[in-house]
Amino acid sequence: MSKLIKIQIANPNALRINFIMTRHCPYSCEYCPDTLNAGKHREINLEELETFLLRFKDRNGAIQITGGECTTHPQFQDVIEVSRKVGFNVSVDSNSVRTLRFYDSVKHLVDNWCITLHPSQHTLDLEKLKLLSQHSFLVVYVMMDPAHWDTALNWYNQIKQMSDLKVTPIRVMDNWAGAKFEAQYTDEQLEFLSSAQSNWLFTPEREAALRKEHMWLADTESTGFYNDGSSHTLDPFEIIRKKQNSFFGWKCSAGRESICIYDDGTAIWANCGIKRFDHYLDIDPNELNVPVKCTLLECTCGTDIRGSKHL
C-alpha cells in the first residue's frame, strides 16, 4: 500500500483562525469533555480581537467560530461583525440547538455553516438544514454514536436525500480532547465507518454559484502526496477512519495556516497546541512561519491534518 509522505495546502497564504469563544454548551455528549460544555460565557474583548485580526490582514483569512456552542454566546453576532469588518470570511460550528427563527436571523452573516448532529441530544430538524443550505455553504456532520447507531444511521440516510449540502458520517474519537470515553463499535459498524464517504449533494447550478462566491473555502483544501508518485485531494476524515493520522516526527506548518484562540485569551499553534501562548496578542506572525517537529502520536483534528507537512 502506498504511503503518505507529504501534505500541501492549496493556498500557502491561507489562514484559518479557530476561535473557541465559549466553553458552554446546552448538550453534554459522553464523548465531549466537560471543558467544552460545562463552562460559562466570558465577555469577549472585541477591540483586542480586532487588533489581533488586523495583524493578518494581508493573509487570505477566515475565522471558524466554535465552542462549546458558540451561537448561545450573547456576543456571537458582535464577533462575526468584527471579523467581517477586518475582511475575514466567517465559518460557524453549531450543533443546531437554536431555533429556526434564530438561524434565520443570522443566516446572512455566515459564509459557511458546519452543523454537527448528536443523536443522543436532540431530534432531527431538516427545516434548519434546508434554510442554511439556501444561504451558505453547508456541511453537516452526523456523529455515529454507537449507543444511538440506528438513529444516527437514519438521520444520515435522510440527509442524503436532500440537496445543496455536504454530509459526512463521523466516527466518535476515543478520548477526544480528554473526554475519557471509548466508543464500543460492532464489527458491522466499523465496516460501515471504514467505507463511508462524504456526500456532495449540490445541484450543478448551486455548486457553480458556491464556487464563485466561496472560493476561499478551497484555499484550505490540501493535496496528499504518496511514495509511489501519486497524489490526490486529501479527505482528513478518511485519513482518520483509515488510521493514517500519525505524523510523529514530520515537519509541520499547520500553525502557520491555523491558530486556535480561546475565550480566556490564551492561544495555541494550530489545534494540537505544540506551542502555547499566554495571550493571542503575544503571537508574532513571523514566528508562525517556522515549522515544528510533530511530537504527537495521533492527529485528531481535520484542520491540522490538512496543514502542510512532510517527512
Side-chain angles (χ1 to χ4, degrees):
M1 184 175 68
S2 58
K3 182 179 179 182
L4 185 64
I5 58 173
K6 179 181 177 181
I7 297 173
Q8 181 62 53
I9 196 170
N11 184 348
N13 199 46
L15 172 66
R16 176 67 61 89
I17 293 177
N18 192 37
F19 184 20
I20 301 176
M21 70 175 294
T22 182
R23 309 294 185 95
H24 169 77
C25 180
Y27 295 163
S28 54
C29 303
E30 285 186 285
Y31 41 78
C32 182
D34 291 344
T35 54
L36 290 179
N37 62 42
K40 296 182 179 180
H41 296 313
R42 296 173 184 261
E43 183 177 357
I44 305 300
N45 188 318
L46 299 174
E47 290 185 3
E48 287 185 351
L49 179 62
E50 182 174 354
T51 297
F52 175 70
L53 295 178
L54 282 170
R55 291 180 179 177
F56 300 95
K57 62 181 180 180
D58 60 334
R59 302 284 298 276
N60 290 50
I63 186 167
Q64 184 92 19
I65 303 173
T66 185
E69 176 52 38
C70 60
T71 62
T72 63
H73 195 290
Q75 292 176 286
F76 173 70
Q77 188 165 329
D78 296 331
V79 168
I80 292 178
E81 290 174 348
V82 166
S83 302
R84 299 190 74 88
K85 174 184 175 183
V86 173
F88 273 60
N89 290 106
V90 176
S91 293
V92 171
D93 290 334
S94 175
N95 57 30
S96 79
V97 68
R98 301 299 300 269
T99 64
L100 181 66
R101 182 177 179 180
F102 170 84
Y103 290 108
D104 188 46
S105 71
V106 297
K107 63 182 185 295
H108 62 290
L109 297 173
V110 179
D111 300 294
N112 170 221
W113 286 95
C114 297
I115 300 293
T116 303
L117 302 177
H118 304 273
S120 66
Q121 302 296 312
H122 59 87
T123 57
L124 180 63
D125 189 337
L126 296 178
E127 286 302 310
K128 292 178 185 176
L129 302 183
K130 183 178 180 180
L131 169 72
L132 297 178
S133 71
Q134 294 170 345
H135 296 274
S136 174
F137 180 86
L138 175 62
V139 179
V140 181
Y141 301 113
V142 180
M143 293 301 298
M144 303 304 292
D145 186 342
H148 300 271
W149 181 264
D150 290 343
T151 299
L153 190 60
N154 177 268
W155 288 8
Y156 173 59
N157 287 330
Q158 285 190 63
I159 297 168
K160 279 171 53 178
Q161 304 307 310
M162 300 179 69
S163 61
D164 296 333
L165 56 81
K166 178 182 177 182
V167 60
T168 301
I170 299 296
R171 176 176 177 166
V172 176
M173 297 293 296
D174 290 344
N175 304 313
W176 179 75
K180 297 182 180 179
F181 176 84
E182 295 187 2
Q184 302 299 316
Y185 286 108
T186 66
D187 290 341
E188 183 180 3
Q189 291 167 352
L190 289 173
E191 182 178 358
F192 170 86
L193 290 169
S194 67
S195 60
Q197 301 291 322
S198 298
N199 295 266
W200 185 270
L201 304 174
F202 297 92
T203 62
E205 296 78 14
R206 181 64 172 150
E207 180 175 355
L210 286 171
R211 290 193 180 279
K212 182 178 180 180
E213 299 167 8
H214 299 292
M215 286 297 294
W216 63 278
L217 285 166
D219 285 350
T220 54
E221 290 183 355
S222 293
T223 300
F225 296 86
Y226 295 81
N227 62 351
D228 63 359
S230 63
S231 63
H232 58 77
T233 300
L234 193 94
D235 181 344
F237 296 104
E238 180 182 359
I239 294 294
I240 291 173
R241 285 195 297 268
K242 293 182 177 180
K243 294 188 177 298
Q244 299 174 342
N245 55 323
S246 176
F247 305 104
F248 182 82
W250 288 40
K251 290 184 178 180
C252 180
S253 296
R256 182 186 186 277
E257 301 157 1
S258 173
I259 306 166
C260 185
I261 63 177
Y262 293 91
D263 57 332
D264 63 358
T266 58
I268 57 175
W269 162 285
N271 291 288
C272 62
I274 288 179
K275 289 185 179 181
R276 296 183 176 272
F277 305 89
D278 292 335
H279 195 278
Y280 57 76
L281 289 180
D282 296 335
I283 296 176
D284 177 358
N286 293 322
E287 180 184 350
L288 301 176
N289 293 331
V290 182
V292 301
K293 186 175 181 179
C294 180
T295 58
L296 303 177
L297 296 178
E298 188 177 46
C299 186
T300 60
C301 171
T303 300
D304 288 2
I305 290 174
R306 285 194 297 269
S308 299
K309 57 181 71 68
H310 62 88
L311 279 170

